[in-house]
Amino acid sequence: MSVETVPVTGWGRTAPTAARLIRPRTYEEAAAAVRECGARGGIARGLGRAYGDAAQNAGGAVLDMTALDRIHAIDADGGTVLCDAGVSLHRLMEVLLPLGWFVPVTPGTRYVTVGGAIGADIHGKNHHVSGSFARHVLSFELLTADGTIRTVGRGTPLFDATAGGMGLTGVILTATVRLLPVQTSLMAVDTERAADLDDLMARLTATDHRYRYSVAWIDLLARGAATGRAVLTRGDHAPLDALPARARSAPLAFRTPRFPAAPAFLPEGLLSRTTVGLFNELWYRKAPRARTGELQRISTFFHPLDGVPHWNRIYGRGGFVQYQFVVGHGREDALRSIVRRISERRCPSFLAVLKRFGEADPGWLSFPVPGWTLALDVPANLPGLGGFLDELDEEVAAAGGRVYLAKDSRLRPELLAAMYPRLDDFRALRAELDPRGVFTSDLSRRLTL
């Protein structure tokens, strides 16, 4: 078990804090690390793709779980996998796709561990059909603060507190996950343009039920009649008979393109309103007005940025803030208002996506609820950004919505209870399970979780 004191930050590269980084290689070493966390406690960490401070712990311990990465058993007939929590979705795809199985839910990166997927209860482009990741988890083993390893099944309070609980109930060691059968490793994709936000929402509402996966890139710098214009991309796993003859000899091959890494140092202000505005204009104009049945690699459809190592460096030393919120069906007025305000403020965001969520999952701090979710990246050094996002938080909360804790780095704690009605239940279970506060993080201290 290696131990070193290092600065730790989220994927947004804002507000790093120093912690003892512990890398257990066995379950026994993980239990020892929990016992030896010290007064400032500890928090589990996977591949570091939480954007904010969820996997940071200033002055305490951070348990890097990525060395616990074994795949223990695959039921190729029943479609389940038992694996360590440190296994990445990328590794699962490498192993499972040749067998005709795919992960049930994937976010915009495949470099997420299974433990992180449960702790953040991640969602993807298929939430309107498949829900969040934890919906497909049959059980997991949880190392709790007293050193006990508990097998936690669906439908229990501990399962619902851990799914979306940001690692604060314990350290997930293993999980059994139900998989999705596929015939090929290609996607059949339809693409179309939407002229404005109302046009986009109408298209999504009318036709989302036809697709397993659906997402829209939205131009948040467009104004006037074009406010909210978007490129809508939807699809499903391609059946074998959709492949050209030359591809049918290896229909389940998993290929991932790799491009040069982003430079370690980039000038501040590279992503200005001018440069991002130009990018957005070109991206919208090059998209087809309507195209159906295009075959794309899984990596292209789901994870285009994964091909560029360290792409988060493009925002410069100051890093960036990812802001994601959801408002329910019937509160489209709030979504329109927020999109209009972002557009009028000229926030330079080229990574902005809109999706529809389906039925909520039972996790007490799980983010998705039925409705509309918008996620955007903005440079952290944008003047007045903090106050502006505080105002958006107020509008989201007033509309009965919430922000995503796995991406948050700056929410004010007084809004949390309004956004997450099961917060008191979570706090009560955590106090009973971990009275000494062994599991803690910069996020939990900031929001008094």
Side-chain angles (χ1 to χ4, degrees):
M1 180 167 61
S2 64
V3 182
E4 58 179 330
T5 299
V6 296
V8 180
T9 187
W11 191 246
R13 305 175 74 214
T14 59
T17 54
R20 286 184 299 116
L21 189 67
I22 305 172
R23 197 166 193 255
R25 294 179 175 84
T26 66
Y27 304 148
E28 292 76 17
E29 288 185 355
V34 169
R35 289 194 299 269
E36 299 165 9
C37 278
R40 293 286 286 182
I43 192 71
R45 181 182 177 93
L47 289 167
R49 292 304 179 104
Y51 285 79
D53 51 5
Q56 298 175 215
N57 185 22
V62 171
L63 280 63
D64 179 343
M65 299 298 293
T66 55
L68 290 168
D69 60 353
R70 291 170 295 174
I71 297 176
H72 295 280
I74 299 170
D75 181 351
D77 295 321
T80 62
V81 61
L82 168 62
C83 63
D84 283 344
V87 173
S88 70
L89 299 191
H90 173 82
R91 179 62 181 151
L92 287 181
M93 291 177 197
E94 286 184 322
V95 172
L96 296 171
L97 266 170
L99 303 177
W101 297 99
F102 190 64
V103 295
V105 171
T106 177
T109 175
R110 59 186 178 274
Y111 296 112
V112 175
T113 62
V114 169
I118 298 170
D121 200 11
I122 60 171
H123 57 270
K125 300 176 181 180
N126 59 339
H127 190 277
H128 63 292
V129 173
S130 302
S132 300
F133 191 87
R135 184 183 298 187
H136 307 274
V137 175
L138 303 180
S139 65
F140 53 80
E141 288 184 307
L142 186 72
L143 173 63
T144 52
D146 60 3
T148 302
I149 296 178
R150 309 184 186 204
T151 299
V152 183
R154 296 183 55 80
T156 63
L158 187 51
F159 188 103
D160 293 344
T162 303
M166 307 311 297
L168 297 172
T169 61
V171 179
I172 300 170
L173 298 176
T174 70
T176 300
V177 182
R178 186 173 57 240
L179 304 169
L180 176 71
V182 295
Q183 295 181 15
T184 75
S185 61
L186 294 175
M187 306 295 298
V189 181
D190 294 351
T191 305
E192 59 190 279
R193 282 195 236 164
D196 56 37
L197 182 60
D198 284 339
D199 181 29
L200 173 61
M201 290 192 291
R203 291 170 187 256
L204 286 165
T205 301
T207 59
D208 247 9
H209 64 280
R210 302 177 190 168
Y211 298 89
R212 180 179 295 275
Y213 303 100
S214 180
V215 67
W217 169 86
I218 185 169
D219 182 0
L220 292 177
L221 283 174
R223 292 185 289 182
T227 299
R229 67 179 180 178
V231 178
L232 179 55
T233 307
R234 295 177 289 189
D236 206 338
H237 298 275
L240 186 60
D241 60 12
L243 270 59
R246 65 181 182 278
R248 294 184 188 179
S249 59
L252 292 165
F254 180 47
R255 299 183 180 92
T256 57
R258 196 78 167 173
F259 302 103
F265 301 102
L266 287 167
E268 298 293 332
L270 180 65
L271 297 182
S272 66
R273 292 183 177 95
T274 300
T275 59
V276 173
L278 178 60
F279 171 88
N280 286 4
E281 181 69 26
L282 292 174
W283 190 261
Y284 181 78
R285 293 297 175 189
K286 85 174 187 64
R289 293 185 181 275
R291 181 175 60 201
T292 61
E294 180 191 15
L295 293 178
Q296 294 183 4
R297 293 177 179 176
I298 276 174
S299 55
T300 301
F301 182 76
F302 289 108
H303 316 120
L305 287 174
D306 280 348
V308 183
H310 307 293
W311 65 262
N312 55 339
R313 294 174 180 170
I314 65 175
Y315 292 87
R317 293 172 184 250
F320 69 100
V321 173
Q322 175 148 129
Y323 185 69
Q324 183 169 6
F325 68 90
V326 59
V327 292
H329 294 302
R331 298 312 309 262
E332 287 79 7
D333 57 330
L335 177 63
R336 293 187 186 95
S337 170
I338 292 172
V339 168
R340 184 171 59 251
R341 291 180 66 178
I342 294 170
S343 172
E344 290 172 350
R345 190 176 178 85
R346 308 291 287 159
C347 290
S349 176
F350 75 97
L351 293 174
V353 296
L354 183 74
K355 293 180 289 195
R356 290 175 75 239
F357 280 157
E359 182 181 350
D361 292 284
W364 293 347
L365 297 186
S366 184
F367 169 64
V369 294
W372 304 91
T373 181
L374 176 66
L376 60 144
D377 292 351
V378 288
N381 59 6
L382 194 67
L385 179 63
F388 178 63
L389 294 182
D390 285 346
E391 293 174 5
L392 297 190
D393 289 341
E394 297 276 1
E395 190 164 356
V396 168
R402 58 183 58 165
V403 300
Y404 191 15
L405 297 183
K407 295 183 177 180
D408 177 58
S409 59
R410 24 78 39 212
L411 179 68
R412 303 197 315 274
E414 58 267 25
L415 290 177
L416 196 63
M419 293 181 172
Y420 289 90
R422 299 297 300 271
L423 179 62
D424 286 344
D425 294 328
F426 177 82
R427 285 172 170 161
L429 184 143
R430 185 180 173 217
E432 178 182 350
L433 190 67
D434 182 10
R436 296 183 295 114
V438 171
F439 297 111
T440 189
S441 65
D442 290 354
L443 173 79
S444 70
R445 278 189 288 268
R446 176 169 57 83
L447 295 178
T448 62
L449 285 171

